[in-house]
Amino acid sequence: MPSEMRMVDIIVPTSKKDEVVSRLKEAGLMELVDVRDKDIGKPELSEHYPQVSELIASAGEALRILESVPEKKNAEFKRKPVPDMSTGELLRYAEKLKPFISSVLSLSESMKKLSDIKSRLLEQRAVLGLLSDLGADPKSIAGHGMVSVFTGSIPMQDMEKTVSDMKNKTSSCFIKTAESSGKALLIVAVPKEHEDAFSKILNSDGFEPFKIPEELEKDSLESARKRIDSELRMLSAREAKNQKRLSEYARRKGDILALLELLQIEKSTQESEMLFGSTKMVSVIRGWVPASAVGRVEKAVRSSAGPACSVSSREARKGETPPSIISNSGPLKGLEVITESYGIPEYDELDPTKFIALTFPFLFGMMFGDIGHGLLLTLTGLVMWRKMRSSGASKLGMTLALCGISAVFFGAMYGSMFGLTHENTYWMPAPLWMDPLAEHGANIPYLIKFSVMLAVVVLGLGSVLNIINKARHSLLEAFFHPWGVLGLWVLLAGANLFFSHGISFISMTIMGLMGDFSALSTVLPGLLLLAVPIVLLPIGQIFIEKQMVLIGLYETFEVLQKTLVNVISYVRVVIMAVVHGALLLMVMKIMEMVTSGFSGIAGTVLSVVIFIAGNVVVFGMEAMISMVQTLRLHYYEFFSKFYSGSGKAFRPFAARRVYTVRKNDNQIFK
């Protein structure tokens, strides 16, 4: 179950509201609830809100610019100590940093303009290079009154066709070509009367025109080059100077980070206050608080508002939807990533994390059983858990580590390490349980039966958890629900028939219906046990769920069908175990075949290369496929029995501090 939540109502003098809000914000223990529907006033956004938003925008833009400057290696970041500040004090603090922010923005704008100019000059220099390849000056191809001039490039493979098409159009044209960087360069001069026709020919063949800048049209090629190179050198010097200034500004990036964080906290505070009820005399604050933290919240409020306040708490009422907190510790914390990916549990719903702590690694390990691959996966997971501090990546790392440990266990049970087994390597010990590929698949039937047993255990657990969930609301619903008591009865009765008679119970039933009563008597007790829930299920759907008769019968059929399909789905565990072993065996066979003609060092090196490469491929492919299949077995076959995942996560009203720390923090929230 998610952690218990309580609704807390806080009534404080309006004069003390800001101090109380500041305390609650730093505590981060309360998810606010809108109380503006009460007849106690509806607050408006602060008059400072637009100014705060504008400062956030400008500071954010300045930060984006400063973050483009590479940081020095091993640069130590220190959080900036800041005192408690009112909105006015924060704005005055921001005003002191405003000139610095303006300087950063101004410098960035200047650098952008220089970059645009430089890009234009580089374009011009590229055009000059192309003209040099063609042996022409800029002034030689300037516009003419009687002649149209096309200068540009087309794909090299289209050059002959383009030239041919133009010459077929008229012989009164001048065409000069050259090759540069895999493209055909063209200068085409044609009488004005053929301009449109030549334009269509060129454009149809992917013509890219060069625009000759006006400032180059009067220059010779050499003088144009010198002028552009001179301007580029001046621009580079100015860019270097600006970059140096930007690097100096970047040393104060911490000031911008701290200011931006303070402004964002202030903005979220002003937005949150819109949820309060308020009059001239009192303010009302309401929200969800974890039951274990109610005392700390009350202490924080009373230390700010004194005795002139009221703090009361109560349990959730019918119809209210408290937020959910998934609370697990140790290795279970890592498996929360599986639960959260499906959805957050509802407040009164069982948290499946504790139950998948065994089933998820177990099923994965059985599919991915190999000592070597399991150790690699465990190491990968531990590195992710230690090095990647983001919540999701760290949790995923722990999950992979648990799955890797399970794979090591099943690798020992199968007697496999990187595909080395007792059969192909003399020093490998025999399997502790069985080799899925031993004796040409003789163990596969037993493994299939074992997978059915697994299915009954896991699906049965899902039904039991669903019964617990439903029983909180209605015992009748817990009994008649398709995945309640009757659903569990169908599963266990069907398993009893299968393990007692195998698949042959189907043929024995058919033979009995055709008159062979001896065959029928053998399976009759099991069939009667299965018939009871099949008869009761539609009764529950019709009279309890108020469904139409046909719908009730269909629901019963669907339960039988899904139960069968879900059980069969667990056979994929055996299939994946066999495929994993077969792929590793194939690597060993390929290594033997390829190196059969080699001896000495060459043969050894080639064997090692094939062995490592094959294992890397199998490890990457099988780890991903086994993870997908394990997720599927949990999401579709297990979770769907009892878990909706439609709850909402606890989002406390909190000051998200990363770059600042309060100077006068005390122990009140500890």
Side-chain angles (χ1 to χ4, degrees), residues 193-206:
E193 62 191 81
H194 297 293
E195 180 179 359
D196 290 343
F198 271 56
S199 179
K200 288 179 181 179
I201 293 172
L202 290 167
N203 289 334
S204 66
D205 291 335

Side-chain angles (χ1 to χ4, degrees), residues 128-138 140-141 174 176-178 185 187 221:
L128 292 178
L130 294 171
L131 294 177
S132 176
D133 290 342
L134 295 171
D137 281 339
S140 68
I141 58 171
F174 169 80
K176 190 167 185 179
T177 65
L185 308 176
I187 289 184
L221 192 62

Side-chain angles (χ1 to χ4, degrees), residues 601-617:
I601 296 176
T604 302
V605 171
L606 188 57
S607 296
V608 170
V609 170
I610 294 173
F611 181 78
I612 293 175
N615 269 275
V616 167
V617 172

Side-chain angles (χ1 to χ4, degrees), residues 395-468:
K395 287 181 178 180
L396 178 59
M398 178 57 72
T399 300
L400 293 179
L402 291 173
C403 290
I405 293 170
S406 178
V408 171
F409 170 77
F410 276 100
M413 301 299 284
Y414 298 157
S416 173
M417 184 172 70
F418 294 118
L420 303 174
T421 65
H422 184 65
E423 293 184 2
N424 58 34
T425 307
Y426 71 91
W427 50 264
M428 275 294 295
L432 297 178
W433 183 29
M434 69 172 68
D435 181 354
L437 299 178
E439 300 178 9
H440 306 290
N443 291 327
I444 291 178
Y446 174 79
L447 283 171
I448 290 175
K449 185 171 283 192
F450 184 79
S451 71
V452 172
M453 193 182 304
L454 269 179
V456 173
V457 171
V458 177
L459 297 176
L461 176 60
S463 291
V464 169
L465 296 178
N466 185 56
I467 292 168
I468 295 172

